[in-house]
C-alpha cells in the first residue's frame, strides 16, 4: 500500500507541475512535507545531493524520498511516478503541440504560464534557503553573523553562474571539497 501511495503522490506532483523538474520541486516539497515523509531540511539535502549528480533533478529527489520511506522499492515507485505518466503524456502532447504551437490561444497561455514557473522556482529557492539558514527565533543579524560563510557561498555561486560560463558541476564539486576541508 505504501508503494502505491508513493507512486500516486509523485504522479500527482508530476502531472500538476509546469516547467519541468526544477519547477516541480516546489510542489514536490510541499507534498512530501505535508505527507510527513520529509522535513524541509531533508528535502534541501535531497536537492543538494541531486544537484551534485548528472541528470534531471525531479527523479533524483523523488528517489531520495522514496528510498527513505521504503528502500529500493520505494525509490523505484517514486521515480516511476515522477517520470512514467508524464512521459506518456509528453509523447501524446508532442504530436498535438507541433500542430497548434503557433495558435494565438496557446501563445497567450504560455505568456502567462512562464512567469508562474519563475515564481515557483523563486518560492522553492526561498523555502530551501529558509530551511538552510533560518531557525526558529532567528533574526537578520543572527543570519548575517552565524551564516555569513554560507551566504558568501550563495553569492559567489550566483555571481559565477551569472557572469561566467562555468559548468555548475564544477561549483558543486568545489563546494563539496570546501565543505570537506572547512566544515569537517
Amino acid at each position: 500500500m505504501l508503494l502505491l501511495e508513493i507512486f500516486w503522490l509523485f504522479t500527482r506532483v508530476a502531472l500538476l507541475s509546469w516547467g519541468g523538474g526544477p519547477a516541480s520541486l516546489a510542489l514536490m516539497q510541499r507534498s512530501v512535507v505535508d505527507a510527513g515523509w520529509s522535513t524541509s531540511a531533508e528535502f534541501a539535502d535531497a536537492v543538494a545531493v541531486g544537484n551534485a549528480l548528472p541528470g534531471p533533478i525531479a527523479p533524483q529527489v523523488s528517489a531520495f524520498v522514496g528510498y527513505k520511506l521504503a528502500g529500493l522499492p520505494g525509490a523505484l515507485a517514486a521515480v516511476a511516478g515522477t517520470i512514467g505518466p508524464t512521459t506518456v503524456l509528453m509523447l501524446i502532447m508532442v504530436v498535438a503541440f507541433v500542430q497548434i504551437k503557433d495558435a494565438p490561444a496557446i501563445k497567450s497561455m504560455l505568456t502567462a504560464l512562464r512567469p508562474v514557473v519563475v515564481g515557483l522556482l523563486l518560492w522553492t529557492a526561498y523555502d530551501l534557503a529558509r530551511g538552510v539558514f533560518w531557525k526558529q527565533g532567528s533574526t537578520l543579524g543572527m543570519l548575517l553573523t552565524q551564516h555569513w560563510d554560507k551566504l558568501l557561498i550563495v553569492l559567489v555561486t550566483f555571481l559565477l553562474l551569472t557572469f561566467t560560463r562555468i559548468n555548475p558541476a564544477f561549483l558543486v564539486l568545489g563546494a563539496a571539497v570546501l565543505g570537506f576541508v572547512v566544515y569537517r
Side-chain angles (χ1 to χ4, degrees), residues 30 34 42 106 147 154 165 175:
R30 181 164 285 164
D34 287 351
E42 289 170 332
I106 299 301
H147 297 291
V154 169
R165 298 198 36 85

Side-chain angles (χ1 to χ4, degrees), residues 148-154 156-157 170-184:
W148 66 269
D149 52 337
K150 294 171 200 75
L151 290 170
L152 182 62
I153 293 170
V154 169
V156 168
T157 301
F170 292 121
L171 297 175
V172 170
L173 181 61
V177 170
L178 178 70
F180 182 78
V181 171
V182 174
Y183 297 114
R184 194 162 61 132

Side-chain angles (χ1 to χ4, degrees), residues 50-115:
N51 276 315
L53 300 171
I57 188 72
Q60 294 166 345
V61 174
S62 65
F64 180 96
V65 174
Y67 187 84
K68 177 182 176 251
L69 293 171
L72 185 58
L76 294 173
V79 171
T82 300
I83 64 172
T86 54
T87 299
V88 171
L89 182 60
M90 185 63 190
L91 292 173
I92 294 167
M93 290 302 297
V94 164
V95 173
F97 187 73
V98 167
Q99 297 172 3
I100 64 169
K101 68 179 170 65
D102 294 324
I106 299 301
K107 284 185 173 185
S108 63
M109 286 188 284
L110 290 173
T111 297
L113 286 169
R114 289 181 188 120

